[in-house]
Amino acid sequence: MAKQRPSKTSKSSRRKRSHHTPNSKPSPTLSPSALLAQASTLLQTGQPDLALAPARQALAILSEEHSTATNGSLQPTHNSAEDTRTPATALPALSLLATIYLELGNASEATSLFQRAASIDPDGLVPEEEGGGAEKFLWLAQLCEEGGEESVGWFERGVEVLRRELGELEERLERLGKVATGNNGAMEGRVLVELRALAEEKRRKIGEVLCGVVEVYMTDLSWDPNAEAICETNISAALLTSPSDPAVLQTLASIRLSQSRLTDAQSALRRSLALWQLDTNDGEDGAYGAKTNGNKASLPTIVSTNGHKAPQSNDLSDLDANTPDFPTRISLARLLMEAEMEEEALGIAERLILEDDQSVEAWYLGGWCLNLLALRPRESKGTEVGDEEAEVQKKSCLIGSREWLRESLKLCELQEYEDDRLRDHAVELVRDLGATLGEDDRGEDDGEEAGDDDEWEGVASSEDDHEDMDADMDGDGRINLDEDHEMAGG
């Protein structure tokens, strides 16, 4: 996938992050490079609000120095978002400042800054270490309001730069390889290793940008009669360029799901999991054979008898170096659910909660997985389980589902979470679970709790809202995770 668009977050967290203090004002005697270093450190340590002032001052100084050199007088321009006189030397400041605004939730200001950078370096010829390269184009592809063809245009500009940079790296590697061979390998060492790592990173980025194009054609441009062919062309190129990137295989699975090729989608997802999990479920380990990096995420672990919570261990030492980032694994869990691979999805959700137990989506997806598992026939070691055992497993899943979903709803309220569709679905599931399970061991009745309009203000409860939700469900109680999956001609 391409660079991630800023995720939905809570209103309260944005207010907290955008709070400025008098101590955030930098010293006026620092040079632009020192100011940028200060801002970068603050950003990396989770203080984007404090990083804003030094980054803005660095950009102001660079712009004023440029104005002085060209016009012979100071012409402050740093307050103008439309400033086209910003020098190329200001590219690092523009990029850093845009990133800070993204962290603060101000996508509009970030977009303006990236556009200024694109006007200064329209072909990405300025080296990446000097603030140039493809990054600004990739961000603009994600941030542009129009989306669709405009996003594709930015992606294509970005991938053109990345391919050129990859070609240059491969030429350098070839030259150094010949020198190393002629000197009995004397040049083989850190330089070659670093160049190979850079080349591999470029290949990964190219693959994920091509997947970004695919995603646009599966959503905004799904009406295009050539959408499916364009998706096939881009995913083939991505697989050739970066065949060992889990995100590329996830995109392949998404395409196959849109084409109703379930078996192919499941195969792609298993290949994706195998690239970073030490062991994966091969479908022969029984009903609850979800594994996380080789460890069984079995039902007794995920749905315990002392509160039905996710495991509390914080040991993340078994994470592979190639483990995808958090948002990519959230998307992976959704795809696994859509591909009827709930055990694997549940293992992913469990791991995500160990990493961040404040994630609304991870709790929600885990709860939904358990709900889906309760709906399907249970099997164990290739044989159907008895009716009594099946009922015990089903009830355990339902109880666990209710607890996970309740946790998700609690976090929704605490964080003022903005995804109403997710919250409404979680509330509906909890309400249905209350009707099935009745009063739980805490003496609460979910039918009344979830139906309290005062507690869950804005929850879809009208007949029309339920009809809308029902329209997204198929015959076995599943809900289509991505209403934009169907492509024209798919």
Side-chain angles (χ1 to χ4, degrees):
M1 293 185 296
K3 186 173 286 295
Q4 292 287 332
R5 191 184 187 96
S7 60
K8 292 183 179 179
T9 186
S10 65
K11 299 174 186 175
S12 57
S13 63
R14 284 206 302 270
R15 286 197 296 266
K16 182 177 180 181
R17 289 194 301 184
S18 60
H19 176 70
H20 301 281
T21 66
N23 293 332
S24 65
K25 186 175 182 180
S27 168
T29 61
L30 294 177
S31 66
S33 59
L35 288 165
L36 291 176
Q38 180 187 94
S40 180
T41 299
L42 289 166
L43 179 62
Q44 292 171 6
T45 55
Q47 304 175 79
D49 52 338
L50 301 184
L52 185 60
R56 291 180 64 182
Q57 186 175 356
L59 180 59
I61 292 172
L62 291 167
S63 297
E64 289 171 356
E65 287 177 350
H66 180 66
S67 296
T68 300
T70 55
N71 301 325
S73 62
L74 285 177
Q75 297 183 19
T77 59
H78 57 279
N79 290 325
S80 172
E82 301 299 326
D83 179 28
T84 58
R85 294 170 289 178
T86 310
T89 53
L91 282 171
L94 287 169
S95 178
L96 180 59
L97 190 54
T99 304
I100 292 169
Y101 275 118
L102 284 175
E103 285 295 314
L104 293 171
N106 191 338
S108 175
E109 191 65 31
T111 300
S112 177
L113 290 163
F114 282 129
Q115 287 173 338
R116 288 170 65 182
S119 68
I120 295 169
D121 182 32
D123 298 316
L125 295 174
V126 176
E128 189 173 344
E129 58 270 21
E130 296 176 19
E135 289 299 297
K136 52 187 172 292
F137 304 130
L138 305 185
W139 274 118
L140 287 168
Q142 293 290 307
L143 296 170
C144 65
E145 292 184 1
E146 294 297 322
E149 293 178 353
E150 184 180 350
S151 287
V152 171
W154 287 119
F155 276 135
E156 288 176 344
R157 288 176 68 174
V159 82
E160 182 180 350
V161 174
L162 290 169
R163 282 172 168 158
R164 184 182 68 238
E165 292 173 345
L166 176 60
E168 293 169 355
L169 282 170
E170 290 175 337
E171 287 178 5
R172 290 181 63 189
L173 281 167
E174 185 177 358
R175 289 197 302 270
L176 284 173
K178 290 178 180 178
V179 172
T181 302
N183 290 277
N184 298 319
M187 290 293 294
E188 185 71 37
R190 189 174 64 181
V191 174
L192 279 174
V193 170
E194 289 178 353
L195 286 176
R196 286 170 182 152
L198 285 172
E200 185 60 32
E201 178 63 15
K202 295 296 180 188
R203 293 187 189 97
R204 184 192 64 80
K205 282 189 176 181
I206 290 170
E208 295 187 1
V209 172
L210 293 170
C211 288
V213 175
V214 169
E215 290 170 1
V216 174
Y217 274 97
M218 292 182 69
T219 53
D220 294 357
L221 299 178
S222 60
W223 50 265
D224 191 310
N226 298 315
E228 186 169 3
I230 292 171
C231 287
E232 291 290 348
T233 298
N234 280 278
I235 196 61
S236 296
L239 287 166
L240 285 171
T241 304
S242 186
S244 59
D245 186 346
V248 172
L249 288 166
Q250 284 181 220
T251 303
L252 174 62
S254 184
I255 294 172
R256 296 297 174 252
L257 285 170
S258 73
Q259 298 167 332
S260 300
R261 294 167 60 179
L262 179 61
T263 301
D264 291 338
Q266 291 173 337
S267 175
L269 289 169
R270 290 193 179 96
R271 288 163 58 196
S272 177
L273 289 169
L275 290 169
W276 58 276
Q277 289 190 338
L278 299 182
D279 195 5
T280 55
N281 185 3
D282 59 8
E284 299 178 357
D285 290 312
Y288 299 104
K291 297 179 182 178
T292 303
N293 298 318
N295 299 322
K296 279 262 190 178
S298 60
L299 182 63
T301 302
I302 298 175
V303 188
S304 65
T305 57
N306 58 352
H308 319 293
K309 298 284 186 168
Q312 299 302 308
S313 169
N314 290 318
D315 180 16
L316 303 178
S317 59
D318 59 346
L319 284 177
D320 188 272
N322 296 320
T323 300
D325 60 22
F326 198 95
T328 300
R329 282 178 287 152
I330 286 285
S331 298
L332 172 59
R334 288 180 173 272
L335 280 173
L336 288 166
M337 290 171 65
E338 191 171 354
E340 301 179 12
M341 299 171 68
E342 288 89 355
E343 292 99 335
E344 292 87 344
L346 195 54
I348 300 296
E350 180 186 32
R351 173 59 66 179
L352 291 171
I353 289 170
L354 287 177
E355 295 178 40
D356 180 8
D357 63 4
Q358 300 299 299
S359 171
V360 172
E361 281 188 280
W363 284 107
Y364 161 74
L365 291 172
W368 192 4
C369 276
L370 285 164
N371 192 279
L372 292 175
L373 282 168
L375 297 177
R376 76 182 196 187
R378 301 272 64 83
E379 294 182 0
S380 179
K381 296 182 180 180
T383 62
E384 292 187 3
V385 301
D387 292 343
E388 184 176 347
E389 183 181 350
E391 282 303 311
V392 170
Q393 291 180 348
K394 178 178 180 179
K395 186 172 182 180
S396 295
C397 280
L398 293 175
I399 292 172
S401 175
R402 177 163 62 182
E403 292 299 322
W404 284 54
L405 291 166
R406 278 175 171 168
E407 187 68 21
S408 176
L409 288 170
K410 182 177 76 173
L411 292 172
C412 273
E413 186 174 10
L414 289 173
Q415 299 175 14
E416 300 180 48
Y417 199 67
E418 296 179 340
D419 189 341
D420 291 338
R421 182 181 173 88
L422 180 153
R423 186 188 65 170
D424 292 351
H425 184 219
V427 169
E428 181 170 353
L429 289 172
V430 171
R431 182 185 293 116
D432 292 344
L433 287 165
T436 301
L437 295 171
E439 192 172 298
D440 65 5
D441 54 7
R442 294 179 300 181
E444 296 174 352
D445 185 89
D446 285 305
E448 296 177 3
E449 177 185 325
D452 188 340
D453 291 337
D454 292 332
E455 181 176 358
W456 303 109
E457 182 180 357
V459 171
S461 58
S462 70
E463 185 175 329
D464 289 341
D465 289 333
H466 283 293
E467 288 176 357
D468 289 341
M469 186 65 73
D470 290 341
D472 286 337
M473 302 183 74
D474 61 23
D476 62 357
R478 296 176 181 275
I479 294 182
N480 187 354
L481 288 159
D482 187 351
E483 61 187 4
D484 296 316
H485 253 318
E486 295 299 327
M487 295 184 293

